[in-house]
Structures are given as structure tokens and as C-alpha cells.
Amino acid sequence: MTEESVKELLQQINYPGFSRDIVSFGLVKVIKVEGDKVYVKLELTTPNREVAEQLDSELTAKLHDSFGEENVRIEVHIPSAAESTPTPQQTSGIQKIIAVASGKGGVGKSTTSANLACAFQKMGLQVGLLDCDIYGPSIPLMMGVSGRPEINSDEKLVPLDAKGVKIMSMGFINEGDNPVIWRGPMIVKTIQQFLFSVDWGALDVLLVDLPPGTGDAQLTLCQTVPLSGGVIVTTPQEASLGVVRKGINMFKKVNVPILGIIENMSYFQDTAGVKNYIFGEGGGKLEANHQNVPFLGEIPLVQSIREGGDAGSPVTSHDHENEPGVHFFQAAQTLYKNVIDAPAAQ
């Protein structure tokens, strides 16, 4: 029995409602192994006793099975309400902050973020787009912009501009094919800097393109700034819809309103005008009705959308009133109507 073997067991336990384990979240503060005895101490950041009880139960089951009840001691510390996660900070000059999320990768979340940003800009709004996918930033490619941000006289990063949209991404800081190999705390710090150490200026809307899943980036954003709401991107198939529910539950747990679900790759329309539902039909709308959240529309599977993303020219930046940009533009109009009455983030 070693501390490393105990740690490996603890890495099998996820924080309730998230896909990240309690070790990577930094909640495991002490692991002691003395002979046959094991001591584990957790320090939570929330005063929620239900979370503490659930983790204590899972720890007990996992460690008792492996080492025996008489050899295990577990301590789970929860803070008082005053010690818990601080109130999100206000962001000067930004009226609305909208998080774009997905439960899984490959559903076109970044494509949707880029096209919504350009659609908002065409609607006459001042728009920012923050790429929070630290490990795999794709917004610079999709928006056709590269370079390193300058630092202004206030020692803040100046976002790059593309298609009239202000953009910040890890792709500007870490250019090329160099991988970002960071643990959770570095992700947290970087996202906070992108929010408060960037000169965003006056914005009507800041869209935040989140990485897939329910991990550090999502939790950090929800705890750092007051979000106006979240948008979930999915495809019609059940494999995608199943994890959509996790994304919705994540936002609910941190009291972020769901502004709507967008169904991407809904259908392929052939030259005869027949719609082919390759990934299933109507799943996004049915899930929105089931979850009692707005449905923002269907985005068809169209080659020009992919080509526009690869070429750094989202379809809504030049073709927002015709196929296929009209679908994104209609979704953007509905989304803005949903968010306009929400409390300002400023």
C-alpha cells in the first residue's frame, strides 16, 4: 500500500455533476499511509453538505473495499458560507456575457460561436469572442486571425480584431503546434486573466467559447464573472443529447440560466431538395422541450460552413442573409432576444 496507489483510487471519483476527478480539482489535501492505515483529507470549496456527504460516501466505499474499514480514516472539510467561492466580479464595459458550451467534442461548438459572433456584429452590436479552449484553441483559425496581442499603457492585453469582432485566444499566446501541458490551476489563472487583464472596451456581448465537457474552464468561468446565460450546442444523435443534459445540469448547479439549445448538423439537403437526417431527426428540439429551455434552431450540414471555418471566413461574416448563414443569423436573433432582458453583467 502506497500513497500513489491511494491517489490512483481517488482519481476514479468525480466531483458531483462534473467529469473531472477530485484529485485534478485539487480537493485532496492529505494522503497518509502508515503501515496498514490510510488517512485521506478533502477540503471542499462549497458549503453544500450534500456534496460533502456524497463524496464521503464514495470515498468510504472505494477505500473500504480496497483496504478494509478498520484501516481507513476519512475527513471531509467544508467551508462556512463566508469561506466559500467568492461572488463573481463585475466586468467593466461588458453588457452581456454568454457562454457557448457542449457536453462533448465534435458537435461544432466553435463553428457556432464564430458564426454567432459575426451574426451579432452584422446586427450592429459591439462583440467580443473569448476562446476558452486552452488545450485546443480553434477560434483564430475559424476567424482568420493570427499574431501576438500588444500590451497597452494600462498593462492590459489588446484583443485582436477580425470581421469587426474583438478576439482573445490561447492560440495567440502559444502559436504553432506546441501543446499546452498544464494542470487545472494554470487553466483557472489564464481564464481569469483573459477576462480581467484584456482591454475589451465597451461590448454589447462577449461570447465565450468553452471547451467540451464540464471541467475547470467551465467552473472557473461560472465562478469568476456573472454570466447572462449559457447556450448548449448539440447534434441530433442520442450520444450527443445524453451529455447535453450534463451541460444543462452544470449550468443549473451554478445558477446560470440556459438561453437555448442549438442543433448543429441537423440534416443534409441534396440537390433535389430532400432533407436527409443523417444523425437523427428533431432530437435537439425534443430535448429543449423536455428541459423546458428555448430552442434556437437547426443548422444544416452544409459544406460551405466547414469551408468557411477552415478558410477563416465564417458564413455569417459575408452571407448572413442567404443559405446557410441565414440559419445562424436567425439563431443569433432569437438568442439576443432571450438575453436582452437578462441582468447586465456590467
Side-chain angles (χ1 to χ4, degrees):
M1 186 190 306
T2 65
E3 292 181 2
E4 189 61 32
S5 63
V6 175
K7 182 179 178 180
E8 289 175 0
L9 285 173
L10 300 183
Q11 287 173 330
Q12 299 173 22
I13 301 175
N14 288 344
Y15 189 87
F18 290 83
S19 58
R20 293 293 298 274
D21 64 88
I22 58 176
V23 175
S24 65
F25 261 135
L27 303 179
V28 180
K29 299 302 181 182
V30 179
I31 299 176
K32 283 186 180 179
V33 176
E34 296 180 355
D36 295 334
K37 307 296 182 182
V38 175
Y39 169 66
V40 173
K41 180 181 179 181
L42 264 63
E43 291 185 3
L44 306 186
T45 58
T46 172
N48 190 328
R49 292 193 175 276
E50 291 182 3
V51 171
E53 290 170 0
Q54 181 175 336
L55 287 176
D56 183 69
S57 176
E58 293 186 31
L59 280 166
T60 298
K62 181 72 68 175
L63 296 179
H64 284 189
D65 285 348
S66 300
F67 304 113
E69 182 178 353
E70 68 280 0
N71 294 324
V72 175
R73 185 162 71 94
I74 299 168
E75 183 180 344
V76 180
H77 171 75
I78 63 173
S80 65
E83 297 174 310
S84 61
T85 304
T87 302
Q89 302 177 46
Q90 302 296 329
T91 47
S92 178
I94 303 176
Q95 297 297 319
K96 305 289 181 183
I97 302 178
I98 302 173
V100 183
S102 65
K104 65 187 290 293
V107 300
K109 174 185 50 55
S110 295
T111 297
T112 300
S113 297
N115 278 283
L116 287 176
C118 291
F120 281 150
Q121 193 275 333
K122 292 292 184 182
M123 290 164 57
L125 303 175
Q126 297 295 317
V127 185
L129 178 55
L130 172 57
D131 185 357
C132 272
D133 194 340
I134 304 300
Y135 295 119
S138 56
I139 291 299
L141 170 67
M142 291 185 174
M143 293 295 290
V145 61
S146 62
R148 297 184 77 80
E150 297 181 356
I151 299 177
N152 65 16
S153 58
D154 294 327
E155 297 188 354
K156 287 190 173 185
L157 291 169
V158 179
L160 276 64
D161 186 281
K163 284 74 179 176
V165 177
K166 295 180 179 180
I167 304 169
M168 182 54 64
S169 171
M170 190 66 194
F172 301 148
I173 311 297
N174 187 56
E175 296 180 296
D177 297 325
N178 296 319
V180 175
I181 308 173
W182 287 351
R183 294 189 183 274
M186 287 296 292
I187 301 296
V188 170
K189 184 177 180 181
T190 299
I191 292 174
Q192 290 172 338
Q193 288 180 328
F194 279 171
L195 287 164
F196 296 108
S197 298
V198 171
D199 186 8
W200 290 107
L203 296 179
D204 296 305
V205 179
L206 175 64
L207 281 169
V208 183
D209 181 39
L210 289 171
T214 52
D216 288 336
Q218 293 83 350
L219 185 60
T220 298
L221 181 70
C222 294
Q223 292 177 335
T224 301
V225 293
L227 293 176
S228 302
V231 174
I232 307 291
V233 181
T234 185
T235 57
Q237 65 201 96
E238 181 59 34
S240 179
L241 292 169
V243 288
V244 159
R245 296 159 198 145
K246 291 184 179 180
I248 289 174
N249 289 333
M250 174 196 73
F251 282 129
K252 287 181 178 178
K253 285 178 181 290
V254 290
N255 299 316
V256 173
I258 307 298
L259 299 171
I261 291 176
I262 294 179
E263 184 184 275
N264 193 30
M265 295 181 270
S266 297
Y267 57 86
F268 171 75
Q269 187 166 323
D270 61 27
T271 54
V274 177
K275 293 182 179 180
N276 299 278
Y277 294 91
I278 299 172
F279 300 113
E281 182 177 358
K285 189 172 186 178
L286 287 173
E287 188 63 29
N289 292 335
H290 176 71
Q291 296 285 346
N292 196 28
V293 299
F295 183 63
L296 300 177
E298 299 177 340
I299 308 299
L301 185 61
V302 181
Q303 183 173 337
S304 59
I305 294 177
R306 191 272 303 166
E307 290 174 340
D310 288 348
S313 182
V315 291
T316 52
S317 68
H318 56 83
D319 196 24
H320 63 284
E321 293 180 348
N322 299 292
E323 292 279 358
V326 65
H327 297 281
F328 281 118
F329 193 70
Q330 289 171 349
Q333 289 178 313
T334 304
L335 172 59
Y336 196 65
K337 288 178 183 177
N338 292 346
V339 76
I340 195 65
D341 293 327
Q346 179 170 276

